[in-house]
Amino acid sequence: MSSFRNHRVIIASLFLPTTAALGESSPPTPDHHVAPDSEPAVPQSNGGNQKQQPSYRQRQPGQLPLVSIVDDLRSRAITPLASPQSDIPNPFTRFVNIASPRPGATPRSISARTPALSNSNNESSSDSNTSSQIPALDRSFTLLRPRKFQTTHQDVQHSARLQRKQSRSSSRRPKSVVRGSNSDGVYQPWHISPNTHCNGGLKNAVDSAKGRLPRRLWVGTLGSNTDGFGSEMRMNIDKRMRDMCDSVPVWIPDGEFESCYDEFCHQVLWPCLHYAVPDAPKTKYFYESASFKQYRSVNQRFADVIVENYHEGDIIWVNDYHLLLLPGLLRSHPKTALAPIGFFLHVAFPSSEIFRCLSVRDSLLKGVLGADLVGFQTANYARHFRQTVSRILAYESLPKGIQVEGPVAPVSTGGEAETEWRESAEGKKTKEKGRFVDVGVFPMGIDVNSLREKKRHPEVEYWVQLLRQRYAGMKLIVGRDKLDEIQGVRHKIEAFEHFLKTNPEFQGKVVLIQVALQTTESNELAGGVSDVVARINAAFSTLTYQPVVFLHVQEVTFSQYLALLTVADAFMVTSLREGMALRTHEYVECQEERKRALILSEFTGTYSYSGFRSCFAVNPYDTRGTAKAIYQALTMSDEEAASRWQDLHNHVVTQTAQTFVTSFLTRCLRAHTEHASLSIDPSLVPALDLPRLIPKYRHSTTRLVFVDLEGCLWIRDMSKSAMIEMMRTGKGPMVEPPEATIRVLEKMAGDPKNEIWVLSGLPVKGALERLAERVPSVGIVAENGCFVKTRKIGNKSDGQSNGARWINMVANLDFAWKVPCIEILNYFTERTPGSFVEERATSVVWRFWTGPPDSTVSIDDDPTITTSTSDTSPTTTNAATSLPSSESQHSDRSWARRQAAEAQNHIFDSLGERYGLRIIPGQNSFLVLPNNISRSTAVGTILHPGGPACSPLGGGAGVGDADYDGYWSSVTIGGGTGRTTSSTGGRVSSAAESTLVLAIGGDEKLLRRLNELDDAETVSTSRRGTDAKWKLDPREVLGVLETLGQVR
């Protein structure tokens, strides 16, 4: 499989990382005419219907004004805290907007007005915590220098989040400026600047992996009103954004975008995804969802742009809840129907009981299922999604993903386009076969190396000194959240109020600095924060102390934010529901020196990871518990703080932004490759050509033959009567291998050039024991790789029967999971007529359907899952008595499959991660067994030096053996040789010298791996899409082997 480095990645996000901002830039581009600086920019508007949004910092009547921390710090830098002067601004009567600083308000100008500080340049303070001496500050930079990098901390102006107004980039220094004509023909300037609305976490992650993403293309909107842009100006923007920023704008009418973004995304989807189902009278938005038409239209416009720019080989990466329909729209288009598509949700995903309240739930889910891979931040969100799809769409939900039935064009615009797709070859093929959608977990992280560089900037150190001077002798608690109700800011401040009341000794000694991110005015009012802040400050403030310092994000530069994280004694997040809180990662990294506490809501996705369990977990609804956590965080010992911080930091430096990007794209490409191989028309794979194979077989010096037992050598009788006979007597056609199979194996094994290995999913006891007695010179792999029986060679004997022995490959594993697993399956057995549980030595099988076979099921019914001869399990006895009753009433197959999906999810969620289990689904049953055990790994041990294929006396390897597990990585691919590396020696070199490796079976993973070897002939019997070189009907396998057995 090729790496994603060889592919261009199309990244679809609602907002581009850069935008086209109206107005002049400085310095101007020399080859364009630029008006003087005094010439005002021509504003864009929607005419008289444009709504004027008030500043979301507007105070309500009676609310006390808030103070700017930067203005306060600037005054404290002039006058030490120990001797306050009368000209210090009163924090209750003055509000300073530092987003537009006064000219000359720099440290240098401050120094000019303060002789006592004029000679402090290039000096350092010996004690930054003393208030008797002012620390030396670096005056070589501007106080409010514009930020030159994009971070998750957005530097925005005061316009409301949901208003797409003209660019607010006058304080930045954009890269270029040009002029274009608006819709009225007016010639006006514009320039490229950072987009303050973009997903900063996604942009940082992509930028951090730019070495592995040499080619990428962003697709999104500009984030400003665009109706006034003329066609010439749009063409100019398209060209320059493509050439300079690797971006393609999506042009959407302002009214359509406003209805989609303001109404559907933020009034319907956002509350639903965060467990906030609105009560009346807000239910009109939620249930009627009239704005869904605009949401669909916006997604269609994105699809049109991506299809226009798509080239074969591109990977399409769709991001977040704004574009839920986009994967389905792309999959329904003929040009992108076979493209690798990944979708990642950056926010939480609720339980099915919440999501099912949406009136458009079906369309949203089907749209997402157009992707090859659907990614989430946590395992809980992934489980919620699988369960929601299973319960709403009735699709089969498995731990690895979703089995989608029927067509994948449910969200198209309908009419002729949808009819044309359904009648196309791709549509017909998908309708007949369906497709599988992988569901994975990919926790997001930060770019640790970049953050380390930024926190070493002199400007950060400057603000660190000021903060330590300003708050000497005090404890600082820092928070950074949006002001909407879901972020739990009100809960945080109320808990802080309770902390001050119950711990009066901390009054005047602890300050909560809350940085508020941009949001809408309505959401801010709903958050109910302002009244609580005013109440606390009125109750606990003194002339020199203000318990809550409340700042909006535009009042704090990123350097100041990093300084706050550096000097904080605790960082506090009390979200009622949230995905990955990356600001906690930033805090942990900034605390490398101090190693202080993190207070984190247990409802965040971050807390679900074990690395963050060393924080102080709180329930935001429990005010007393949160206040207690504040006290513990501020009073714990340095040793405990360092130990907790180390656990947090290990996760931060391991789960980075680079890891997130590379793991998601790698999994997406792998999932697409697997799905593509399954979707290959079997008629395109040539049937096995014996005349071409026989000469190669005859002239080979040695031959290594792997062949499946069930479904190839032995077409077992899976009828209900045969199952009953097997369970009652331990005999019958399901237990006794056919004589024809025994004769063929004896003949093949009789050739000294041959090494024959039979691969089976059956347990050792029963049929395989009989087979080993009849044909001792044949090696056997049992229970899908859990046991390996060595071959008898000549007259050698190690004391075991016929000189061969069984090797337990999982002897060191813990099988405590089997008891609770069987209990779960017994629960579902009672509710699924005709089903039964079969316990094997190292695995458990649940056969959920024993009725008439489905016409679409292949004859082997998945060769990795079959029923054994176990007659000692009490469950088997109970099943035998229940089977006759099922003959009188036919079980509903669809119900049985849904029960099987529920059982698999329940086992995987409760036992899978804890014990390291995997589940192999089949048409009528599924198998639960230890992870990292498969037929493929068993073949790896056979090919490995010193493995059982080399000598029957060779010791068995346990699970996790680095040499055995890593065998496949030693294979050299390409260059025409494809031999294994010379360092492998032993059995590996013998395999290379065998000249011929012949594999016949239905395990696609094994066949793909064997294809990496030279002179390997792989034959698939699965009747599905395959990567094997040949295909063969299972009924013809015995005949082919009998023919080869006669070749000498």
Side-chain angles (χ1 to χ4, degrees), residues 308-325:
E308 181 181 355
N309 291 273
Y310 173 80
H311 301 293
E312 186 175 356
D314 290 349
I315 301 175
I316 302 175
W317 184 4
V318 182
N319 288 273
D320 229 356
Y321 63 98
H322 313 97
L323 303 174
L324 293 176
L325 302 181

Side-chain angles (χ1 to χ4, degrees), residues 126-392:
S126 60
D127 186 3
S128 60
N129 294 327
T130 62
S131 60
S132 60
Q133 181 180 357
I134 301 173
L137 305 177
D138 185 357
R139 312 296 192 189
S140 61
F141 51 83
T142 304
L143 177 65
L144 297 175
R145 178 181 302 170
R147 196 169 80 248
K148 295 181 175 61
F149 39 79
Q150 185 71 28
T151 67
T152 56
H153 173 84
Q154 298 292 343
D155 186 9
V156 301
Q157 304 297 319
H158 294 186
S159 59
R161 178 183 182 183
L162 301 187
Q163 280 293 327
R164 304 173 68 219
K165 295 189 176 181
Q166 63 185 34
S167 173
R168 301 163 297 279
S169 56
S170 58
S171 63
R172 297 182 177 87
R173 293 295 173 261
K175 298 179 180 179
S176 64
V177 60
V178 294
R179 285 178 174 270
S181 299
N182 63 8
S183 58
D184 299 328
V186 179
Y187 197 62
Q188 60 184 146
W190 65 274
H191 58 269
I192 295 176
S193 69
N195 193 340
T196 59
H197 295 284
C198 81
N199 186 329
L202 174 63
K203 179 187 181 299
N204 289 339
V206 172
D207 289 345
S208 69
K210 59 184 177 182
R212 304 192 65 181
L213 287 176
R215 295 185 298 155
R216 58 180 182 268
L217 182 68
W218 289 87
V219 176
T221 65
L222 297 178
S224 60
N225 285 336
T226 58
D227 281 355
F229 290 10
S231 58
E232 179 184 351
M233 185 175 183
R234 294 191 180 196
M235 293 175 60
N236 200 343
I237 292 175
D238 284 341
K239 183 179 184 304
R240 295 182 68 84
M241 292 285 287
R242 181 68 175 264
D243 296 340
M244 300 178 62
C245 306
D246 294 325
S247 300
V248 177
V250 179
W251 301 101
I252 302 174
D254 294 342
E256 180 180 300
F257 183 92
E258 180 180 357
S259 178
C260 164
Y261 186 65
D262 299 7
E263 296 178 10
F264 190 77
C265 290
H266 282 271
Q267 301 300 326
V268 178
L269 281 182
W270 176 265
C272 174
L273 295 174
H274 292 82
Y275 287 77
V277 178
D279 299 325
K282 297 180 180 179
T283 52
K284 179 178 180 181
Y285 267 139
F286 198 81
Y287 297 105
E288 294 183 4
S289 304
S291 56
F292 181 68
K293 294 180 180 179
Q294 283 70 35
Y295 181 84
R296 184 200 302 269
S297 179
V298 168
N299 278 255
Q300 184 63 57
R301 292 180 187 273
F302 268 81
D304 295 340
V305 172
I306 292 175
V307 168
E308 181 181 355
N309 291 273
Y310 173 80
H311 301 293
E312 186 175 356
D314 290 349
I315 301 175
I316 302 175
W317 184 4
V318 182
N319 288 273
D320 229 356
Y321 63 98
H322 313 97
L323 303 174
L324 293 176
L325 302 181
L326 183 54
L329 293 171
L330 293 171
R331 189 65 67 192
S332 66
H333 195 282
K335 185 176 180 180
T336 53
L338 299 179
I341 302 174
F343 175 84
F344 186 80
L345 187 65
H346 293 260
V347 298
F349 193 90
S351 68
S352 60
E353 298 303 319
I354 301 295
F355 197 87
R356 71 191 308 171
C357 296
L358 287 172
S359 61
V360 292
R361 60 192 187 184
D362 288 22
S363 296
L364 295 176
L365 292 176
K366 291 179 180 178
V368 173
L369 292 176
D372 292 295
L373 171 65
V374 181
F376 296 90
Q377 299 274 19
T378 72
N380 287 337
Y381 302 156
R383 183 180 73 252
H384 290 165
F385 176 76
R386 296 196 309 266
Q387 292 175 344
T388 300
V389 171
S390 174
R391 294 169 181 173
I392 294 179

Side-chain angles (χ1 to χ4, degrees), residues 696 700-702 967-985 987-997 1010-1016:
K696 189 175 182 179
S700 58
T701 56
T702 56
Y967 167 75
W968 295 106
S969 61
S970 67
V971 178
T972 303
I973 306 173
T977 59
R979 303 287 182 182
T980 55
T981 57
S982 59
S983 62
T984 54
R987 176 62 236 162
V988 178
S989 61
S990 176
E993 294 169 358
S994 296
T995 305
L996 178 63
V997 176
L1010 290 176
N1011 278 336
E1012 299 172 358
L1013 299 175
D1014 270 359
D1015 302 318

Side-chain angles (χ1 to χ4, degrees), residues 405-408 421-422 425-434:
E405 304 293 344
V408 292
W421 181 88
R422 294 181 185 277
E426 181 63 28
K428 290 180 179 179
K429 182 172 66 175
T430 306
K431 183 175 181 179
E432 293 172 359
K433 294 187 175 182

